[in-house]
Amino acid sequence: MLLITVLLAILVMATLLYAGHGYWAWVCALLILIAGGHFSDAPTVFTGWAIIFSAVLSALFGIHQLRRGVLTSSLMRIVKRSLPTMSETEQTAVDAGTVWWDSELFSGRPDWERLEKFDVSGLTKEEQDFLDGPVEEICRKTDDWKVAQDRDLPAEIWQELKDQKFFGMIIPKEYGGLGFSAQAHSDVILKLSSRSLPLSVVVMVPNSLGPAELLLHYGTEEQKDHYLPRLARGEEMPCFALTEPKAGSDAASIQSYGVVCKSKIDGEMVLGIRLNWRKRYITLAPVATVIGLAFKLHDPAGLLGDKEDLGITCALIPRETKGVKIGKRHDPMGIPFPNGPIEGKDVFIPLDWIIGGQEGVGQGWRMLMESLAAGRSVSLPSLSLGASQLATRVTGAYATVRRQFGVPIGKFEGVAERLARIGGLTYGMDAARKLTCAAVDAGERPSVLSAIAKAYLTENMRLVFLDAMDVLGGAAICRGPKNLLSRAYDGLPIAITVEGANILTRSMIIFGQGSIRGHPFVPNELEAVAQNDLIAFDEAFWGHINFTLGNAVRAAVDGITGGRLIRVEGNPVAKRHKQLLTRYSSAFVMVADFSMLALGSSLKRRESLSGRLADALSWLYLATAAVKRFEDEGSLEDDEIYLDWFCAYAYQQIEQALITITHNYPIGFLGLSLRLKLFFLGRSAHGPSDKQSLELARRVMGEKEGRERLTSDIAIPRNTHEAMGALEEAYYKVIEIAPIDERIRAARKAGILHGVERDDLPRVAQERGVITEDEHLLIQEAQKLADAVVEVDDYTAAAYKKLKG
């Protein structure tokens, strides 16, 4: 009887915790134990202790004043002592931007209806016309190989970019810009990057984190009226100087400084700043006419007030200002976009050159972090997707045209495995890009999600290109105009490094900032401690405990049932993925909560653990975006393979991250406990099946218009005299003769062409009536085109010595 009572108590407790009723779970469980002990043959002492324990817990958790005085006040002091120290710049970075879908993932029970109602809108007619017109035209005119050899874009391309206002996409029409949405901005960068990396970078940077973005949100009206129209027309070319030799990822530790002082200008004493700086890695610096500069401002003479150290400040400085040294170039991986150092010595500027005027003093770090939250959502994710779509299109065609052992190389399972990963990652990357841009267009500045988009889309681009290079083999490593991948491949480390190095972003930012901002209770706990508000802390802390216990039960149940008890709506395929994502969300939150509670401030230093939590959170978001895309595009049966493959890949990454955490947990028994709770039946996610990968590989090679589906946003030249156009022509011709090839193979299998050498098959097939003369000519034409596109560039000794880049 006692055993049955205990099991019943556990069941009731688990049920109530699963429903989120933590207090009543304990009370009801203890009442059952009391009753069971009374009506069973249990010792009286058992019933007595159960009654005492129940009474104590009921008093502590039912009488708020008692709980706060006895427990909460002590806990609050412990928490306050254990919190990691956070500098003002760290706090500003954490507070920057907004919280959006990341809060749902931290809830353990994402609100799928909220996501379903969220509108991922398309382009306006004006935006689409710009893509179809000026963007297509600039892509047509740009020869990426020639750009690499000339070490710059042609002068006429630079001029056309200015004339068509490519540098003013984010500037509102009232200031002479295009006023495009984030989605349109992204689509433009995507298409340009599929044609030429230098072309996309020179357009991307003025529309990302820089003077225009900062002026729009923080500039004075005079600054906006002066600079924005000139920036939109390309009369001013901006750059932004933040990185220094001693301040890279730790950007807040910049050494550049300015001192408030007075200087005589044109016979009058002017209040201003004397600056000294040394910056590097500044994109567009060699061609910039106006420099956005971040520096630490000091006021030792008290000319602006009582405070001496005024903090990081941003100012706009014309290139020709006395003391500015600019024009030298770095050579980033041989990719010829303008990038170089800037120095300034004893440069005097008036106060009104500070972005925002005197009110902008000391606000520079906040400006940068808030702007980064939005700008990082668009630029590099779009570039990554453009390059990945290019790799998908090129590799799908090459795997069809290139034959070995008499069959297209894409038919070999080893190659098909790579093709599937190329296509599957490209599909998911596009989904994440669109969803993140839509969030920005909806007014969000999603700091954590933008960090995920930047870090994981650039990493996935790297995987796509590694696979593409492997499939193309020698054709991908011999440089020249026929090589469609090598120049983008060379630029991979650049995307990985800029706008926050991926190592830092993964190991310190994504989970660190996400947990502080997106968790349902942690932000309130931290604020209550900071304000010394016992009542608020009491509500937040015990709410957190209740949430943690309830989620732990849900995570365990979901792990055993595979999430099948979770109620969600939608197409059967999407519904199942929502259940699994909810299951993994609760598992992620369980590990996160136990880590925060058990490890406290030491979690900040455990970057390996934090990085794996970032992996889990990031792949949750990427898979969520894929589900959203699938449903928004009509839940088509033909699209199920893209969603299923990508989600299977994402689940594998999530499980790998969480299981690795439990095996390396600093507290061994807690790691084992977490592993048993979350994966009691072992791992269930093993990645895409071979069947899925083979089907997806066929799509990448063109089956069911898959190649078009995955690469619809890039520039596709039709000029057959250049490499991409020639590959497209050969591909479609090979597709055209596929039914004829099939008849020849069938005839060979039937013995009609037995013993015929492979090269003689078309001729003999015509002679024996298997195919017609016209079909034979079509095969010869396709073979000639295929032979041409698998050729690689070669050079004379003299020409080879002249190669650049």
Side-chain angles (χ1 to χ4, degrees):
M1 180 66 181
L2 183 58
L3 178 61
I4 295 174
T5 301
V6 172
L7 291 174
L8 180 61
I10 292 172
L11 178 63
V12 170
M13 178 182 287
T15 302
L16 289 170
L17 284 172
Y18 190 87
H21 304 299
Y23 169 65
W24 289 110
W26 289 103
V27 171
C28 290
L30 286 167
L31 288 175
I32 291 171
L33 288 173
I34 292 169
H38 178 74
F39 291 109
S40 71
D41 56 355
T44 304
V45 68
F46 172 84
T47 305
W49 277 111
I51 292 172
I52 294 170
F53 194 38
S54 178
V56 170
L57 282 180
S58 297
L60 280 176
F61 291 99
I63 304 173
H64 300 316
Q65 291 82 356
L66 179 62
R67 181 180 69 239
R68 290 167 188 158
V70 173
L71 273 181
T72 309
S73 57
S74 298
L75 289 169
M76 187 173 174
R77 286 192 294 272
I78 293 171
V79 170
K80 183 177 289 188
R81 287 197 302 269
S82 65
L83 282 176
T85 56
M86 191 175 294
S87 67
E88 184 179 348
T89 52
E90 286 180 308
Q91 188 65 55
T92 299
V94 166
D95 292 340
T98 60
V99 178
W100 184 57
W101 187 252
D102 36 334
S103 67
E104 296 291 344
L105 297 176
F106 269 99
S107 74
R109 278 295 185 268
D111 184 353
W112 294 105
E113 186 177 354
R114 176 190 177 192
L115 187 66
E116 184 180 346
K117 292 179 179 177
F118 181 75
D119 181 34
V120 179
S121 57
L123 305 182
T124 65
K125 183 180 183 303
E126 180 184 5
E127 291 169 339
Q128 188 63 56
D129 288 345
F130 187 80
L131 267 177
D132 296 339
V135 178
E136 281 286 344
E137 183 65 13
I138 209 84
C139 287
R140 185 186 65 79
K141 291 179 178 179
T142 302
D143 181 337
D144 193 43
W145 176 251
K146 189 174 186 303
V147 171
Q149 296 310 296
D150 293 345
R151 310 298 292 143
D152 198 358
L153 293 170
E156 57 270 24
I157 295 295
W158 276 104
Q159 190 58 50
E160 188 162 346
L161 292 173
K162 295 176 181 180
D163 294 342
Q164 297 293 340
K165 299 184 178 180
F166 276 83
F167 301 127
M169 287 191 289
I170 67 169
I171 297 175
K173 292 181 180 179
E174 62 191 274
Y175 293 107
L178 296 176
F180 279 176
S181 64
Q183 190 69 59
H185 172 194
S186 172
D187 283 353
V188 171
I189 298 302
L190 188 162
K191 183 164 284 193
L192 295 177
S193 66
S194 72
R195 185 61 173 166
S196 169
L197 182 57
L199 176 65
S200 64
V201 169
V202 299
V203 172
M204 180 178 75
V205 171
N207 290 287
S208 185
L209 175 62
E213 175 78 11
L214 295 172
L215 285 170
L216 281 170
H217 296 288
Y218 311 106
T220 66
E221 291 305 314
E222 292 79 9
Q223 289 171 340
K224 292 178 183 178
D225 290 340
H226 174 76
Y227 275 113
L228 290 178
R230 297 166 65 84
L231 290 168
R233 294 191 298 266
E235 293 176 16
E236 297 278 11
M237 185 58 60
C239 70
F240 193 85
L242 175 61
T243 306
E244 302 176 0
K246 294 186 178 181
S249 295
D250 185 14
S253 65
I254 55 176
Q255 305 295 303
S256 301
Y257 68 92
V259 177
V260 180
C261 62
K262 292 182 179 181
S263 182
K264 184 174 289 188
I265 298 179
D266 297 330
E268 294 185 12
M269 294 300 293
V270 176
L271 182 62
I273 304 166
R274 192 162 299 281
L275 291 161
N276 286 275
W277 75 83
R278 183 167 171 250
K279 304 286 187 177
R280 65 178 182 179
Y281 307 152
I282 311 305
T283 300
L284 296 186
V287 297
T289 61
V290 59
I291 304 159
L293 183 74
F295 57 92
K296 288 183 176 177
L297 183 59
H298 306 281
D299 184 16
L303 297 177
L304 298 181
D306 297 333
K307 192 175 180 182
E308 179 175 344
D309 294 326
L310 301 177
I312 295 175
T313 302
C314 296
L316 295 179
I317 303 172
R319 179 189 186 98
E320 303 304 325
T321 304
K322 185 179 178 181
V324 174
K325 189 176 180 181
I326 189 171
K328 287 185 177 181
R329 298 183 72 134
H330 300 307
D331 184 15
M333 297 301 295
I335 309 298
F337 62 87
N339 182 281
I342 310 175
E343 295 183 23
K345 186 173 182 180
D346 292 334
V347 179
F348 182 82
I349 65 169
L351 281 181
D352 58 11
W353 287 11
I354 295 173
I355 295 176
Q358 193 165 333
E359 292 183 4
V361 168
Q363 300 300 309
W365 189 243
R366 177 179 65 85
M367 295 177 184
L368 293 173
M369 291 301 98
E370 291 178 350
S371 298
L372 183 63
R376 191 165 52 184
S377 302
V378 180
S379 299
L380 287 167
S382 306
L383 183 150
S384 301
L385 203 277
S388 296
Q389 285 196 12
L390 171 67
T392 302
R393 194 168 188 92
V394 168
T395 311
Y398 191 85
T400 303
V401 169
R402 175 67 164 162
R403 287 173 172 258
Q404 291 290 275
F405 308 103
V407 296
I409 62 172
K411 298 289 186 181
F412 295 101
E413 288 193 5
V415 175
E417 186 178 17
R418 302 301 184 93
L419 291 175
R421 185 158 63 177
I422 289 169
L425 290 180
T426 298
Y427 177 85
M429 291 165 66
D430 201 10
R433 174 189 72 94
K434 289 176 179 175
L435 184 59
T436 311
C437 286
V440 174
D441 284 331
E444 301 287 345
R445 287 174 169 256
S447 52
V448 173
L449 299 184
S450 69
I452 290 172
K454 186 274 167 179
Y456 286 80
L457 265 62
T458 54
E459 289 291 348
N460 285 342
M461 171 181 63
R462 175 152 60 181
L463 286 176
V464 165
F465 262 81
L466 289 174
D467 285 340
M469 296 289 284
D470 282 355
V471 172
L472 268 69
I477 63 175
C478 292
R479 294 174 57 242
K482 292 181 180 179
N483 192 325
L484 294 166
L485 298 181
S486 65
R487 292 179 294 285
Y489 175 80
D490 288 342
L492 291 177
I494 300 170
I496 298 293
T497 303
V498 300
E499 288 193 1
N502 286 1
I503 291 176
L504 169 76
T505 302
R506 173 184 175 269
S507 62
M508 296 180 67
I509 302 238
I510 291 174
F511 176 73
Q513 186 174 12
S515 60
I516 293 174
R517 295 291 307 281
H519 194 281
F521 293 98
V522 169
N524 295 333
E525 289 171 302
L526 295 177
E527 184 177 357
V529 169
Q531 299 295 327
N532 204 31
D533 187 334
L534 180 61
I535 294 175
F537 180 78
D538 180 75
E539 293 178 358
F541 181 83
W542 294 111
H544 191 171
I545 295 296
N546 178 43
F547 169 80
T548 300
L549 294 173
N551 182 71
V553 173
R554 288 194 297 271
V557 172
D558 292 344
I560 294 172
T561 63
R564 287 180 174 83
L565 300 181
I566 300 168
R567 289 188 291 180
V568 292
E569 301 296 328
N571 163 282
V573 174
K575 179 178 178 179
R576 181 61 188 138
H577 287 301
K578 290 176 185 177
Q579 288 178 325
L580 286 167
L581 285 168
T582 303
R583 173 261 194 275
Y584 287 121
S585 172
S586 63
F588 158 73
V589 173
M590 180 181 172
V591 176
D593 272 330
F594 275 84
S595 298
M596 286 187 281
L597 291 170
L599 302 178
S601 61
S602 70
L603 182 57
K604 181 180 179 181
R605 300 187 301 274
R606 299 184 186 276
E607 294 172 24
S608 295
L609 193 155
S610 180
R612 291 176 186 127
L613 285 167
D615 289 338
L617 176 61
S618 299
W619 282 103
L620 278 167
Y621 176 64
L622 298 179
T624 295
V627 173
K628 172 66 172 171
R629 176 183 179 180
F630 175 76
E631 291 195 311
D632 282 353
E633 293 177 351
S635 302
L636 302 176
E637 184 177 350
D638 281 350
D639 286 354
E640 289 176 7
I641 181 61
Y642 305 120
L643 177 66
D644 288 342
W645 191 99
F646 185 77
C647 285
Y649 187 88
Y651 302 151
Q652 184 181 33
Q653 307 306 311
I654 294 168
E655 283 201 7
Q656 181 64 39
L658 296 179
I659 285 178
T660 305
I661 287 172
T662 65
H663 279 291
N664 292 275
Y665 211 72
I667 305 172
F669 77 89
L670 186 53
L672 176 61
S673 175
L674 287 170
R675 188 161 65 255
L676 291 175
K677 272 183 172 293
L678 298 178
F679 303 103
F680 183 76
L681 301 178
R683 291 190 63 166
S684 59
H686 304 287
S689 67
D690 290 347
K691 182 179 178 182
Q692 288 174 324
S693 290
L694 291 174
E695 182 180 350
L696 184 51
R698 291 193 296 271
R699 298 291 184 91
V700 173
M701 292 174 69
E703 187 177 284
K704 295 186 178 181
E705 301 296 319
R707 184 167 168 268
E708 300 297 328
R709 182 90 172 86
L710 292 169
T711 64
S712 59
D713 302 309
I714 65 173
I716 305 170
R718 302 302 180 187
N719 180 3
T720 58
H721 295 294
E722 59 175 276
M724 188 69 182
L727 179 60
E728 289 286 301
E729 182 186 28
Y731 169 78
Y732 285 113
K733 190 62 69 174
V734 168
I735 292 295
E736 185 181 352
I737 68 168
I740 307 172
D741 269 345
E742 190 59 42
R743 293 213 310 275
I744 293 175
R745 277 195 294 272
R748 194 180 190 189
K749 188 178 292 186
I752 299 172
L753 301 175
H754 178 69
V756 179
E757 293 292 330
R758 187 178 294 125
D759 292 341
D760 295 331
L761 280 173
R763 177 182 58 79
V764 177
Q766 180 194 337
E767 291 173 354
R768 297 182 183 179
V770 177
I771 62 174
T772 67
E773 181 182 358
D774 287 343
E775 288 173 331
H776 184 198
L777 291 174
L778 200 59
I779 290 176
Q780 288 179 319
E781 182 184 0
Q783 189 59 56
K784 181 179 179 182
L785 293 172
D787 289 344
V789 296
V790 299
E791 290 290 336
V792 298
D793 298 284
D794 50 38
Y795 310 90
T796 65
Y800 179 76
K801 290 180 179 179
K802 294 179 180 179
L803 288 181
K804 300 176 183 177

